[in-house]
Amino acid sequence: MKLDSNVPEGELAEKWTKYRSTMNLVAPNNKRRLEVIVVGTGLAGASAASTLGELGYNVKCFTFHDSPRRAHSIAAQGGINAAKNYQNDGDSVYRLFYDTIKGGDYRSRESNVHRLAEASTEIIDQCVAQGVPFAREYGGLLANRSFGGVQVSRTFYARGQTGQQLLLGAYQGLSRQIATGNVKMYNRHEMLDLVTIDGKARGIIARNLLTGKLERHAAHAVVLATGGYGNVYYLSTNAMGSNVSAAWRAVRRGALMANPCMCQIHPTCIPVSGDYQSKLTLMSESLRNDGRVWVPKKKEDAIAIREKRKTALDIPEEDRDYYLERRYPAFGNLVPRDVASRAAKVACDAGNGVSPTGLAVFLDFSSAFERYGHSEALSQGINNPTAEKIIDLGREVVKKKYGNLFQMYEKITGENPYVLPMKIYPAIHYVMGGLWVDYNLETNVPGLFALGEANFSDHGANRLGASALMQGLADGYFVIPYTIGQFLSKEIRTPNISPDLPEFEKAENDTRQRLQRLIDIKGNQSVESFHRRLGKIMWEYCGMSRNAEGLTKARQELRALRDEFYSDVFIPGTADEFNPELEKATRVADLMELGEVMTLDALDRNESCGGHFREEYVTEDGEAKRDDENYAYVAAWEWDEQEPQVHKEELVFKNVELKTRSYK
Amino acid sequence: MKLTLKIWRQKNNSTKGSFETYQVEADEHMSFLEMLDVLNQQLIEAKKDPVAFEHDCREGICGSCNIVIDGRPHGPQKGTTTCQLHMRHYKDGETITIEPFRASAFPVIKDLVVDRAAFDRVIQAGGYISVNTGQAPDGNSIPIEGDIAAKSFDSATCIGCGACVAACPNGSAMLFTSAKISHLGLLPQGKIEHSKRSQKMVAQMDKEGFGFCSNVGACEAECPKEISLDNIARLNRSFVGSVFSSE
Ligand SMILES: Cc1cc2nc3c(=O)[nH]c(=O)nc-3n(C[C@H](O)[C@H](O)[C@H](O)COP(=O)(O)OP(=O)(O)OC[C@H]3O[C@@H](n4cnc5c(N)ncnc54)[C@H](O)[C@@H]3O)c2cc1C
Ligand code: SF4
Ligand code: FES
């Protein structure tokens, strides 16, 4: 299969503008006759559905949640990037483009990333107009902060709840379109299959989760904005319901899964504390602006802390190893996520970890308390403040910036982070991999589009902080409304697709049988227990570091797990009722198949780049060793029960020079 | 720790529910929902029907979780959602009563799961600023005073969980609705539609069968995001204003 990225001709900086002004349009009267299905109401789906509705298309929008507002995007904390250069610190569209390409370790498509950087500025304007209450300076203008992997301050934020506020903005826009009837909303409906007719995506099979009834929904085009599959690791920062099924069902119908092994491990999460644990909680990357990461230099100190004979406060300054500042003086605590995560693993593997499991490092705010305390004392005109007063003042400043995160930490761990440093450890957070799409965000299945975290398009092998929100909204507000026209302009003569066509009937029957098969197993183990085991295999062999032997083993274990699942899983109830266990079962079944393709992809990529770290490919000083000569490609996988096949899209870099990524 | 759980079980909206008693062994580090996971694992192993409850983010932001614990929506801790409640606040041997949010506008779907779609319809009635994609001026073209932005933000942090309704003896949705009206109405961008928005949202709220507000204040006390009663006061003031101005 030849993968055509359909990147328009022309200079990088002009491609999008030119393309937009010359692409095929759909006249308003025709838009009304064209139906579009949007699956997902996260940032990508809600922004797409509302904008397509505004344009006059007939939109049907689906979410498995009870309300569009609950999509996982709601949980994003830190912020959203935009090349506004409001801080006058040298930011520009080009710089955001360059940082993203470099941050992604040169495994993303130049043209898509540049378009993303261009759209970024419009996103902020749009959100402000919708009433998103971004943080502001005293003068009333928008405030910014820095995130990892960049040296400018371009991140817009709404306290530690940026995702919530952006999603509410998009949700409100969507609600307005629902009220006008341009969008018909289907809550608590889960897409369980994609329907293709003559090779084109023409609809979906959705299960009404309240009644269990299978429904056929037809349209001229289908847009998937169904989020990422980080939950293949069981423990992740994703919401419990996040899953791969919509995308995976599309793969089962011929779409390709690109770079599935590219997962992001976030360096600052609350460490695992026990076997019962159901999910991990992120502590926003923005904390690394003010927190310093360290472990004790001496192993005996680390052991004493683990055994609770000492606390962080007992370790004198000279016995602390601020390893990020030591190893990466140029970026210090603000190195990109993949680098920071691996460094934490190195420190813990060496025996210097600080939680009972030995898998945690400190994130310490005491210098920030002091620094802010001093300047606060000055600005409040307090003469000769005591050391305590300074710390108190500093704590107040930090509280204003990150109060909700500190509170969240305390609720979960029972420890007060204003007194003791936080303990953190890397955890699965985001997936760069996703459905393969071309420049139009169209998959290899004509008429099937993928947006947001569900596609692979912009972040290469590693995503920079605050870029997922940007991408979701860019895709939904500013890209798909144009590019879907390229496809739909050729469909204006296609009458409404009938859900009575045999293809729909077959897909519905397939789905019904699949569900019944699961119910009928009546084995002895819960879905949850399989999910946990799946997660353990993935984390062990396809997690923070990988090697050929482990990956090969993982694939065998995954196959064995799948066989066991299909012979021994127990699902209570029936398929014709509200049945959360059945919902989980279909999701875990799909995650298991995906897991296998992830191991194949990780095995195929004989290099280390970004989030993909192969132990066999390291430089002398332990950094990732990329192989541009042989692996500067996107690996797009075609599913096959026996042997999934890889197709390659070569990446061409005309505007940036491929360099070894250095943050030293 | 060993706990006794009295949990409301109800097969669906057309059957009557009742309490059932279960024993569960929990660990102090678990979250409340993880404790329920343990119970469900037990039930599944015994081939019984697990307790249905709603949850997703498990970090207090999505607004999915909604359980009345010992008579209080989201349990005993102030400013805390059910998913953020941890078992270290309970002692060995305790009995905990667990029920769904109860309000006529939130019909029970199963066990602890209720239907809160009425909230969506209140937002659809006018809880937005009418701006199409692409129409926006530069983000910095209208400076907003920090204090106003912060107030608007405080109202905007509502997670749409419905605890305010469940806490209210009248089943009123005033806290939820007024928080959205304040969030938007305080901002210069949202001022233009403010009166219309308030009227339409309040009318929809009534239509959905939420009760009237008699200033009991239970909503504020139980709100996990500590949304303030000021929002209701602000709405009452401006709503009276908007009725006058439209006449
Ligand atoms: C804790 C946390 C913090 C984060 N913080 C940041 C941050 O500060 N900045 C940043 O840029 N990024 C951040 N991210 C990443 C970012 O939040 C996500 O990548 C992004 O929100 C994904 O948006 P989305 O629209 O693609 O998908 P989602 O928001 O995951 O939405 C998926 C939607 O699809 C629906 N869906 C899925 N499958 C189906 C199906 N089969 N049928 C019907 N509906 C379906 C769901 O119901 C949902 O509506 C964070 C992520 C996490 C986990
Ligand atoms: S006002 Fe508070 S209790 Fe009511 S829905 Fe919002 S967050 Fe929940
Ligand atoms: S599960 Fe999301 S708020 Fe509780």
Side-chain angles (χ1 to χ4, degrees):
Chain A
M1 193 183 309
K2 195 179 156 338
L3 293 177
D4 189 346
S5 61
N6 287 315
V7 173
E9 292 302 315
E11 287 297 310
L12 181 66
E14 282 147 30
K15 274 185 206 291
W16 178 232
T17 317
K18 255 203 191 135
Y19 186 57
R20 245 189 330 184
S21 30
T22 53
M23 71 184 8
N24 301 330
L25 297 177
V26 181
N29 58 326
N30 285 326
K31 283 197 180 112
R32 275 194 292 279
R33 296 196 301 104
L34 291 169
E35 295 185 297
V36 181
I37 284 176
V38 177
V39 187
T41 61
L43 287 180
S47 58
S50 61
T51 307
L52 293 172
E54 284 160 19
L55 289 173
Y57 290 109
N58 243 309
V59 182
K60 290 192 198 178
C61 186
F62 295 81
T63 171
F64 65 74
H65 285 96
D66 71 315
S67 160
R69 67 181 291 155
R70 308 226 197 270
H72 167 59
S73 295
I74 201 93
Q77 302 172 348
I80 177 166
N81 288 330
K84 280 286 198 186
N85 194 30
Y86 283 158
Q87 305 305 321
N88 199 25
D89 58 359
D91 201 6
S92 64
V93 166
Y94 183 82
R95 195 179 289 277
L96 174 52
F97 154 77
Y98 180 80
D99 286 346
T100 309
I101 289 275
K102 175 186 171 196
D105 223 354
Y106 307 95
R107 290 293 174 268
S108 40
R109 213 185 268 148
E110 278 188 343
S111 55
N112 285 55
V113 176
H114 199 278
R115 176 176 65 190
L116 173 66
E118 288 174 58
S120 70
T121 58
E122 290 175 275
I123 294 173
I124 300 305
D125 302 340
Q126 178 65 24
C127 295
V128 169
Q130 287 171 340
V132 171
F134 283 118
R136 289 180 181 265
E137 309 285 2
Y138 286 119
L141 299 176
L142 293 160
N144 290 117
R145 60 185 171 203
S146 318
F147 256 55
V150 298
Q151 289 166 316
V152 292
S153 201
R154 64 159 75 102
T155 305
F156 294 77
Y157 62 101
R159 291 191 203 153
Q161 288 145 267
T162 316
Q164 180 196 29
Q165 294 310 317
L166 296 175
L167 184 61
L168 290 180
Y171 160 72
Q172 287 162 201
L174 175 62
S175 298
R176 177 170 157 246
Q177 292 309 307
I178 296 171
T180 60
N182 293 343
V183 176
K184 184 149 173 33
M185 188 68 225
Y186 295 83
N187 295 345
R188 296 197 196 260
H189 274 67
E190 180 157 3
M191 165 181 167
L192 289 181
D193 207 350
L194 175 76
V195 181
T196 59
I197 295 172
D198 299 332
K200 292 179 184 166
R202 294 299 199 191
I204 62 169
I205 303 297
R207 182 165 177 267
N208 178 332
L209 300 181
L210 289 181
T211 61
K213 192 172 172 307
L214 294 181
E215 298 173 4
R216 306 175 189 181
H217 293 276
H220 293 89
V222 176
V223 178
L224 300 184
T226 46
Y229 52 78
N231 277 347
V232 68
Y233 292 89
Y234 187 71
L235 285 182
S236 83
T237 63
N238 288 14
M240 302 296 287
S242 299
N243 71 85
V244 77
S245 288
W248 194 251
R249 287 294 127 191
V251 169
R252 289 282 213 132
R253 297 281 177 195
L256 303 179
M257 186 51 98
N259 297 341
C261 81
M262 302 292 195
C263 300
Q264 178 161 79
I265 299 181
H266 198 293
T268 53
C269 301
I270 300 180
V272 177
S273 64
D275 293 336
Y276 50 80
Q277 198 142 357
S278 57
K279 74 157 284 180
L280 298 172
T281 302
L282 173 77
M283 287 286 105
S284 166
E285 171 159 306
S286 56
L287 292 172
R288 285 198 277 143
N289 269 305
D290 287 308
R292 298 175 70 197
V293 178
W294 64 277
V295 289
K297 271 187 191 154
K298 298 183 190 149
K299 270 192 207 128
E300 55 271 27
D301 281 342
I303 294 170
I305 292 172
R306 269 179 243 163
E307 293 172 353
K308 306 214 158 103
R309 285 181 283 114
K310 281 189 179 174
T311 74
L313 306 180
D314 299 320
I315 313 298
E317 200 54 35
E318 63 276 14
D319 288 343
R320 300 176 172 195
D321 179 12
Y322 294 93
Y323 59 82
L324 288 178
E325 295 168 27
R326 171 173 59 79
R327 290 179 59 183
Y328 307 100
F331 281 69
N333 293 297
L334 283 175
V335 291
R337 295 176 172 175
D338 53 337
V339 178
S341 292
R342 271 198 301 280
K345 183 174 189 309
V346 168
C348 293
D349 287 352
N352 297 37
V354 294
S355 73
T357 56
L359 296 177
V361 301
F362 287 125
L363 180 64
D364 194 331
F365 295 87
S366 42
S367 322
F369 296 150
E370 216 163 296
R371 192 175 69 240
Y372 288 125
H374 271 294
S375 58
E376 197 59 20
L378 266 179
S379 72
Q380 294 187 13
I382 302 172
N383 288 326
N384 303 320
T386 61
E388 250 166 67
K389 180 77 193 165
I390 289 177
I391 298 292
D392 275 352
L393 289 169
R395 282 187 183 132
E396 278 309 306
V397 176
V398 169
K399 192 172 181 181
K400 270 202 198 114
K401 284 181 113 166
Y402 314 109
N404 71 321
L405 298 173
F406 275 58
Q407 193 189 24
M408 193 168 1
Y409 181 88
E410 183 165 3
K411 277 194 179 135
I412 293 174
T413 63
E415 278 184 2
N416 180 351
Y418 292 101
V419 178
L420 285 172
M422 290 183 179
K423 291 189 195 112
I424 51 157
Y425 197 67
I428 293 289
H429 174 61
Y430 176 87
V431 295
M432 282 73 72
L435 289 171
W436 182 87
V437 288
D438 68 2
Y439 189 73
N440 293 324
L441 304 183
E442 189 171 9
T443 68
N444 56 308
V445 177
L448 179 69
F449 296 78
L451 320 181
E453 194 172 339
N455 74 26
F456 87 105
S457 81
D458 296 347
H459 307 293
N462 174 56
R463 174 175 70 79
L464 291 180
S467 296
L469 302 183
M470 167 173 75
Q471 185 220 330
L473 291 181
D475 288 359
Y477 283 134
F478 297 108
V479 180
I480 193 74
Y482 293 99
T483 59
I484 201 168
Q486 286 292 74
F487 174 79
L488 289 177
S489 58
K490 290 175 282 179
E491 298 287 333
I492 50 176
R493 284 194 190 79
T494 312
N496 277 0
I497 310 292
S498 162
D500 299 329
L501 290 169
E503 287 85 349
F504 276 93
E505 189 177 337
K506 179 169 183 318
E508 186 188 322
N509 287 336
D510 288 355
T511 308
R512 181 165 296 111
Q513 280 163 17
R514 188 154 59 88
L515 297 178
Q516 200 52 45
R517 177 182 172 201
L518 288 168
I519 295 271
D520 288 343
I521 297 168
K522 298 252 177 282
N524 293 302
Q525 300 178 57
S526 68
V527 177
E528 203 76 10
S529 65
F530 282 101
H531 196 177
R532 276 180 206 272
R533 283 162 70 193
L534 166 66
K536 281 225 171 82
I537 298 172
M538 296 307 292
W539 180 245
E540 175 80 18
Y541 301 111
C542 199
M544 242 193 297
S545 70
R546 304 144 178 203
N547 62 55
E549 198 189 329
L551 289 164
T552 315
K553 196 164 158 210
R555 187 176 181 202
Q556 289 159 0
E557 289 190 10
L558 288 170
R559 293 213 151 186
L561 186 72
R562 226 160 78 196
D563 290 344
E564 197 179 326
F565 177 86
Y566 281 106
S567 63
D568 201 32
V569 75
F570 173 71
I571 299 157
T574 70
D576 310 319
E577 61 183 352
F578 178 64
N579 190 341
E581 285 297 308
L582 178 61
E583 292 164 30
K584 273 197 265 180
T586 54
R587 295 173 192 168
V588 171
D590 289 338
L591 285 170
M592 285 192 292
E593 291 181 0
L594 165 79
E596 190 179 334
V597 179
M598 288 170 67
T599 61
L600 284 173
D601 187 38
L603 202 54
D604 170 75
R605 200 166 273 282
N606 290 314
E607 63 164 349
S608 292
C609 65
H612 170 65
F613 191 77
R614 281 280 300 270
E615 287 158 11
E616 302 95 319
Y617 308 99
V618 286
T619 63
E620 271 167 18
D621 49 356
E623 302 292 340
K625 195 161 146 196
R626 224 175 53 216
D627 179 353
D628 293 331
E629 206 158 309
N630 296 303
Y631 291 95
Y633 62 73
V634 177
W637 292 84
E638 180 183 345
W639 173 250
D640 179 276
E641 203 75 54
Q642 298 312 317
E643 214 42 62
Q645 294 296 313
V646 65
H647 303 274
K648 296 175 185 173
E649 179 200 334
E650 294 300 327
L651 290 168
V652 188
F653 293 90
K654 287 195 188 141
N655 298 274
V656 297
E657 188 192 337
L658 275 66
K659 287 194 196 146
T660 303
R661 209 162 54 119
S662 169
Y663 294 93
K664 294 210 164 177
Chain B
M1 63 177 91
K2 283 200 170 53
L3 298 167
T4 304
L5 306 177
K6 283 177 62 188
I7 304 183
W8 184 261
R9 302 300 310 260
Q10 182 171 346
K11 197 166 169 29
N12 53 45
N13 195 240
S14 46
T15 54
K16 261 181 74 186
S18 61
F19 281 104
E20 300 227 2
T21 306
Y22 304 92
Q23 308 295 329
V24 68
E25 177 85 43
D27 177 302
E28 59 161 348
H29 296 296
M30 285 178 183
S31 70
F32 195 87
L33 295 184
E34 283 166 350
M35 183 272 294
L36 288 183
D37 290 343
V38 171
L39 171 69
N40 276 347
Q41 180 69 25
Q42 274 173 32
L43 290 172
I44 292 170
E45 277 166 17
K47 308 265 157 98
K48 291 193 181 133
D49 192 25
V51 179
F53 61 90
E54 206 128 43
H55 64 103
D56 197 28
C57 73
R58 294 202 174 191
E59 49 190 57
I61 194 75
C62 73
S64 294
C65 61
N66 54 338
I67 299 181
V68 175
I69 303 166
D70 289 330
R72 300 184 59 184
H74 293 302
Q77 272 214 308
K78 197 170 153 47
T80 305
T81 55
T82 304
C83 60
Q84 288 179 299
L85 180 62
H86 277 72
M87 296 315 290
R88 70 179 78 90
H89 303 290
Y90 290 91
K91 287 189 296 290
D92 188 38
E94 265 186 87
T95 299
I96 309 175
T97 308
I98 298 172
E99 320 163 62
F101 278 12
R102 297 190 194 272
S104 53
F106 292 165
V108 172
I109 290 169
K110 183 180 179 185
D111 299 338
L112 307 172
V113 179
V114 300
D115 182 358
R116 289 169 288 183
F119 269 9
D120 281 335
R121 292 188 291 269
V122 170
I123 299 294
Q124 284 156 22
Y128 44 75
I129 292 174
S130 300
V131 52
N132 281 357
T133 304
Q135 294 177 328
D138 184 84
N140 257 348
S141 59
I142 310 176
I144 302 177
E145 199 197 312
D147 203 30
I148 299 282
K151 271 208 188 100
S152 165
F153 188 96
D154 288 340
S155 305
T157 57
C158 161
I159 56 175
C161 65
C164 45
V165 176
C168 176
N170 310 323
S172 165
M174 267 301 261
L175 194 62
F176 167 81
T177 306
S178 64
K180 183 50 64 196
I181 291 173
S182 284
H183 157 212
L184 297 174
L186 284 165
L187 297 171
Q189 289 86 354
K191 280 237 152 61
I192 302 160
E193 294 170 279
H194 178 68
S195 330
K196 266 223 179 92
R197 175 184 308 123
S198 310
Q199 287 180 33
K200 289 202 285 192
M201 288 178 76
V202 170
Q204 186 66 31
M205 191 175 78
D206 293 343
K207 205 163 128 193
E208 295 292 343
F210 290 107
F212 60 97
C213 171
S214 55
N215 291 315
V216 177
C219 51
E220 182 193 61
E222 300 297 339
C223 170
K225 296 293 135 180
E226 307 185 61
I227 302 289
S228 154
L229 284 174
D230 294 351
N231 290 288
I232 298 185
R234 209 178 280 131
L235 172 61
N236 283 337
R237 281 199 303 275
S238 82
F239 191 54
V240 172
S242 73
V243 171
F244 280 123
S245 66
S246 71
E247 274 170 4

